Amino acid sequence: LMGKPAAVIYEAAMAQAGMQTRTRDNHRDRVIAVGDSLEHDIQGAINAGIDSIFCMGGIHRDHLSMEIEPLDSSSQTEMDGQGGAVPVSSNNFVRHPSDEALQGVIQREGFAPVFVMPSFRW
């Protein structure tokens, strides 16, 4: 299996980055996986033994009752990965989910990230 959540995809990425992956000094403390899927991205990071950041504004956004609201009318849009468009602007406001909603999603999926953040924009 060569895909998330299998550890092999993370091993391949670290090898391509020139990191030793099977030795005692493998520098996993310098690697972090960033993703929006608890089942694939976060579980994959756990399987590979690396830390993870869960982007709450991705595929679990609706389960977390998150809203992305533009603060100005000059916003552009981008596809949200679910067939819809979300406003994109440096002036966006993201409503954070309640702690209860976040813990509920994590418990339902069964994979806990090390860190969480509302969204990731490149």
Side-chain angles (χ1 to χ4, degrees):
L1 180 64
M2 181 64 149
K4 298 178 285 184
V8 67
I9 194 70
Y10 296 88
E11 300 286 346
M14 288 186 283
Q16 193 161 17
M19 301 183 74
Q20 297 173 337
T21 59
R22 300 263 182 223
T23 65
R24 184 169 174 252
D25 186 25
N26 62 19
H27 304 289
R28 286 179 192 267
D29 60 331
R30 297 176 56 198
V31 175
I32 194 156
V34 179
D36 69 342
S37 170
L38 291 168
E39 179 183 4
H40 299 104
D41 303 319
I42 304 308
Q43 181 188 6
I46 291 167
N47 292 345
I50 59 176
D51 288 344
S52 60
I53 300 174
F54 172 49
C55 296
M56 299 180 292
I59 65 171
H60 294 287
R61 183 178 69 225
D62 291 341
H63 300 116
L64 294 168
S65 300
M66 292 183 68
E67 299 174 19
I68 300 174
E69 302 174 359
L71 294 180
D72 63 27
S73 60
S74 65
S75 296
Q76 301 173 345
T77 60
E78 72 176 25
M79 296 308 293
D80 67 0
Q82 298 177 0
V86 295
V88 176
S89 167
S90 59
N91 296 322
N92 277 355
F93 171 75
V94 177
R95 251 183 239 274
H96 293 262
S98 67
D99 288 342
E100 294 81 20
L102 177 59
Q103 288 305 316
V105 169
I106 289 171
Q107 286 178 355
R108 185 177 66 242
E109 296 294 328
F111 310 105
V114 176
F115 303 101
V116 297
M117 63 184 191
S119 62
F120 183 76
R121 299 272 187 233
W122 189 263

